[in-house]
Amino acid sequence: MASSTVRGLALPAPLMSLLLRELWRHPGDAVLAEVIPWFKDPLSFVSDPEQMAYASRSMDMSADDPHSAFFRQARGSRGAAPLELPWLDVEQAVLIAITRNPGDDGALALDHRTDPSDPRVVGSDFRTDPLLCRWRVVAPTFSGFARSVGL
């Protein structure tokens, strides 16, 4: 059985259900373009909790590099105030989709800052300002995201 946590964060029940039934699949580029019109790079869905943990480790490198504010990823526990969008708190995030092409660096993440049982889905936006990543809301909940892409 697949682990129900990644990086100490509970995966939402709808995602676990999709994973266990092997229905967590990319819905097609056209569907994602409808749901996330501002996200231009093709995505791959991360297939299981183990791979989500592996993919999510990339956030640690950005958060731990004091010279890398470009990705707007940080550790909320190290700040004086809570991190808010357009920043991603890597301690409260799990990557669920990554760009298909190496080096594009885009991703979709579960953002547990809103609701640990049904977190919002956020995406990295490198198009609005090519000099600085901005994390934007894709869907207010994972369950809403799953419905919007037909899963």
Side-chain angles (χ1 to χ4, degrees), residues 64-121:
D64 294 337
D65 182 354
H67 304 295
S68 181
F70 173 73
F71 292 105
R72 285 196 183 165
Q73 297 175 359
R75 295 184 184 280
S77 65
R78 294 185 184 167
L83 284 173
E84 299 295 337
L85 294 178
W87 284 83
L88 184 67
D89 183 345
V90 302
E91 295 170 333
Q92 297 296 317
V94 173
L95 297 185
I96 58 170
I98 56 174
T99 48
R100 215 175 286 153
N101 302 319
D104 283 348
D105 294 327
L108 300 182
L110 298 174
D111 184 356
H112 283 74
R113 292 177 288 186
T114 55
D115 180 351
S117 64
D118 198 6
R120 69 182 165 195
V121 176

Side-chain angles (χ1 to χ4, degrees), residues 13-90:
L15 176 56
M16 285 304 302
S17 176
L18 290 168
L19 288 166
L20 292 172
R21 294 180 297 139
E22 298 182 5
L23 297 174
W24 175 241
R25 293 185 214 134
H26 191 288
D29 292 338
V31 171
L32 286 180
E34 287 288 320
V35 174
I36 323 167
W38 50 266
F39 201 104
K40 301 299 181 194
D41 296 318
L43 286 165
S44 293
F45 279 23
V46 183
S47 60
D48 60 49
E50 181 179 290
Q51 290 301 311
M52 289 174 190
Y54 179 79
S56 296
R57 286 197 300 241
S58 66
M59 296 184 298
D60 296 327
M61 291 184 299
S62 296
D64 294 337
D65 182 354
H67 304 295
S68 181
F70 173 73
F71 292 105
R72 285 196 183 165
Q73 297 175 359
R75 295 184 184 280
S77 65
R78 294 185 184 167
L83 284 173
E84 299 295 337
L85 294 178
W87 284 83
L88 184 67
D89 183 345
V90 302

